[in-house]
């Protein structure tokens, strides 16, 4: 890097998203229809939790490749009285899952995460027991002000009436044609007439609308212990999967401990493991606290360089130290301490990119997760990160449901190491970090 690199750095890049502001409520989502669904809840007298759940149901319709009620995620709520709520709604392995159920391509990085025929990513063996719907409904029941029928209604209307396919959804479909075409029901929805959906095309999802109506009438039990779940499980098993209705019924959303930190005078509340994001967010901010971030500039080469170096340290630590706390001693206090942040900050040079230590490779992350943040005038704030893991999940849509199924089993290595879950079954022990 030249001596005058700070002076010759390229102009800041142009951001595509703008801050959301409001006096009575705010909804920030990845699609305007999701944001509109959340805003509608405020108009009905709902709070931030109602708005976030409504936005997620709507996103299941308009960005099904990213998020769905057959998915997984984390819910972080700050109630108006300041009480933090962390709800683990992640997926877990079916009870019949075993360490040898996949044939690994290799036992070395990075191919050790791959299985033959991508069986842990595509198709019925990639499906984990979903936690999203149960978590959304529990958050709504315990901390929302509106009922499920009201909150799910915008999603039903969009699924029934259709919406113009966004460029993002169209590009996602085009990139996944070889995988989507393997499954007839998936192809029928996203590859009509054998061709990928194009931007601007109106997509009507009648089966999805019917599934949402069933949930509005019967609640989450329709999926976890009822006819909707049975249709899905029967199809998964028919095409070679191991998911059962016993797996579905055993799933529980888990209340987790909140971890607190600070950054330049701001108080932060994040989820504890097995969620890795909260721990490493605090770690990254501890690293950044020693730099004059404002002077570096947003979007400049030097600003991006420092961020990248902080992320590299965090992801290396994630690979080495993070796991399920029931099986791994995760050093949370150490990783999130100011002392460790100051120590690791010495490894960051403004003049060059650092090399990661041998044997600590960076993690592979999906680009297909969505996040919704809402806030209301009373002081409730909801931050919900939800996913079906990879784009279009396992690529399977069960007939007459309209629901894409997750592929969260891709987060477990084909041959599970001793520090990972050794048996299947729906518990915290089988939730990937």
């Amino acid at each position: 890097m030249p001596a005058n690199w700070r002076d010759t750095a390229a102009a800041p890049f142009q951001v595509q998203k703008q801050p959301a502001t409001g006096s009575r409520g705010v909804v920030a989502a990845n699609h305007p229809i999701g944001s509109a669904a959340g805003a509608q809840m405020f108009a009905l007298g709902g709070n931030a939790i109602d708005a976030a759940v409504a936005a997620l149901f709507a996103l299941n319709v308009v960005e099904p490749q990213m998020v769905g009620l057959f998915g997984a995620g984390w819910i972080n709520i700050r109630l108006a009285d300041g009480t933090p709520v962390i709800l683990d709604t992640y997926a877990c392995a079916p009870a019949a899952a075993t360490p040898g159920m996949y044939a690994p391509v290799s036992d070395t990085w990075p191919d050790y995460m791959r299985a033959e025929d991508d069986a842990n990513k595509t198709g019925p063996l990639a499906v984990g027991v979903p936690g999203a719907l149960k978590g959304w409904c529990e958050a709504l029941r315990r901390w929302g002000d509106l009922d499920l029928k009201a909150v799910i209604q915008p999603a039903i209307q969009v699924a029934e009436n259709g919406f113009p396919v966004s460029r993002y959804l169209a590009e996602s479909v085009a990139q996944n044609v070889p995988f989507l075409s393997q499954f007839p029901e998936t192809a029928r929805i996203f590859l009509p007439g054998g061709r990928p959906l194009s931007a601007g095309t109106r997509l009507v999802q009648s089966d999805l609308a019917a599934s949402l109506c069933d949930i509005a009438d019967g609640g989450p039990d329709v999926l976890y212990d009822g006819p909707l779940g049975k249709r899905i499980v029967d199809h998964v098993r028919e095409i070679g999967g191991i998911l059962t209705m016993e797996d579905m019924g055993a799933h529980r959303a888990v209340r987790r401990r909140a971890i607190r930190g600070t950054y330049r005078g701001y108080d932060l509340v994040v989820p504890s493991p097995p969620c890795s994001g909260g721990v490493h967010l605090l770690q990254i901010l501890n690293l950044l606290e020693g730099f004059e971030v404002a002077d570096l500039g947003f979007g400049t080469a030097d600003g991006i360089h420092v961020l990248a170096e902080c992320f590299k340290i965090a992801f290396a630590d994630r690979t080495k130290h993070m796991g399920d706390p029931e099986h791994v001693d995760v050093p949370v206090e150490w990783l999130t301490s100011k002392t460790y942040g100051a120590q690791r900050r010495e490894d960051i040079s403004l003049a060059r990119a650092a090399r990661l230590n041998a044997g600590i490779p960076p993690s592979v992350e999906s680009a297909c997760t969505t996040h919704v943040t809402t806030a209301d005038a009373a002081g409730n704030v909801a931050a919900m990160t939800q996913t079906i893991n990879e784009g279009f999940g396992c690529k399977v849509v069960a007939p007459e449901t309209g629901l894409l199924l997750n592929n969260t089993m891709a987060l477990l290595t084909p041959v599970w190491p001793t520090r990972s879950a050794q048996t299947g079954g729906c518990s915290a022990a089988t939730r990937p970090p």
Side-chain angles (χ1 to χ4, degrees):
M1 194 171 289
N4 63 339
W5 66 282
R6 190 183 298 273
D7 298 326
T8 59
F13 59 77
Q14 297 298 311
V15 295
Q16 295 182 353
K17 297 181 180 180
Q18 302 299 322
T21 61
S23 59
R24 297 178 60 190
V26 175
V27 182
N30 203 48
H31 192 289
I33 288 178
S35 297
Q40 187 175 340
M41 297 307 104
F42 289 138
L44 293 175
N47 64 16
I49 293 86
D50 302 310
V53 175
L56 288 169
F57 274 120
L59 291 172
N60 187 158
V61 179
V62 298
E63 289 195 339
Q65 80 276 30
M66 300 276 287
V67 60
L69 56 89
F70 209 87
W74 286 84
I75 294 174
N76 187 352
I77 298 171
R78 188 265 193 192
L79 298 176
D81 64 2
T83 302
V85 175
I86 306 295
L87 204 59
D88 174 356
T89 68
Y90 221 84
C92 53
T98 64
M101 65 185 288
Y102 305 114
V105 171
S106 171
D107 61 358
T108 60
W109 179 266
D111 289 335
Y112 81 79
M113 290 295 289
R114 293 183 54 213
E116 288 184 3
D117 301 320
D118 284 330
N120 62 336
K121 292 188 173 186
T122 303
L125 287 177
V127 182
V129 187
L133 178 63
K134 187 162 284 189
W136 300 354
C137 291
E138 182 165 339
L140 192 68
R141 178 181 62 82
R142 296 183 65 177
W143 301 289
D145 288 336
L146 300 175
D147 62 22
L148 179 59
K149 280 194 174 185
V151 168
I152 206 171
Q153 197 58 41
I156 293 172
Q157 293 175 349
V158 176
E160 285 180 339
N161 299 327
F163 67 97
V165 171
S166 67
R167 186 177 68 177
Y168 180 44
L169 176 55
E171 290 174 351
S172 298
V173 172
Q175 292 167 1
N176 284 275
V177 168
F179 307 104
L180 302 177
S181 61
Q182 296 178 35
F183 305 101
E185 186 65 11
T186 313
R188 182 185 69 82
I189 297 169
F190 299 106
L191 305 172
R195 299 177 63 84
L197 290 170
S198 57
T201 302
R202 179 163 292 276
L203 176 59
V204 175
Q205 299 172 83
S206 300
D207 287 341
L208 178 56
S211 293
L212 293 170
C213 285
D214 289 344
I215 292 167
D217 291 336
D221 284 349
V222 170
L223 178 67
Y224 289 92
D225 191 31
L228 178 59
K230 190 174 188 307
R231 283 198 295 274
I232 292 172
V233 167
D234 287 348
H235 181 69
V236 168
R237 296 185 69 83
E238 179 184 334
I239 61 176
I242 59 173
L243 186 67
T244 68
M245 286 304 294
E246 288 74 20
D247 292 324
M248 297 289 288
H251 195 287
R252 297 291 182 271
V254 181
R255 183 87 175 259
R256 297 290 185 185
R257 177 172 68 95
I259 301 174
R260 295 180 180 272
T262 62
Y263 178 71
R264 301 182 192 270
Y266 288 94
D267 294 325
L268 306 169
V269 179
V270 300
S272 60
C275 178
S276 61
V279 169
H280 297 302
L281 174 63
L282 293 182
Q283 182 183 8
I284 290 166
L285 291 175
N286 285 341
L287 291 166
L288 285 173
E289 205 163 30
F291 293 94
E292 294 298 331
V293 177
D295 290 346
L296 292 173
F298 174 73
T300 60
D302 43 353
I304 293 171
H305 167 77
V306 170
L307 275 175
E309 296 300 288
C310 292
F311 272 72
K312 285 160 65 176
I313 290 172
F315 274 87
D317 280 342
R318 181 182 189 232
T319 302
K320 185 174 180 64
H321 300 295
M322 189 59 63
D324 191 315
E326 291 195 8
H327 291 262
V328 180
D329 184 13
V330 182
V332 172
E333 286 71 23
W334 172 66
L335 287 170
T336 59
S337 70
K338 300 293 186 183
T339 300
Y340 181 61
Q343 175 189 338
R344 291 310 303 267
R345 197 180 302 125
E346 298 299 319
D347 297 333
I348 299 175
S349 169
L350 291 176
R352 64 183 182 277
R355 294 180 179 272
L356 292 175
N357 294 329
I360 309 179
S363 297
V364 176
E365 287 295 301
S366 166
C368 299
T369 295
T370 199
H371 183 88
V372 170
T373 298
T374 60
D376 61 35
N380 298 291
V381 179
M384 302 190 182
T385 302
Q386 301 289 313
T387 187
I388 54 174
N389 193 41
E390 296 184 341
F392 298 95
C394 71
K395 316 303 188 289
V396 174
V397 173
E400 299 181 2
T401 69
L403 288 169
L404 276 162
L405 310 184
N406 70 67
N407 71 337
T408 54
M409 292 299 286
L411 297 173
L412 298 173
T413 54
V415 175
W416 301 349
T418 56
R419 72 180 213 156
S420 295
Q422 295 299 303
T423 58
C426 233
S427 71
T430 51
R431 296 169 191 261

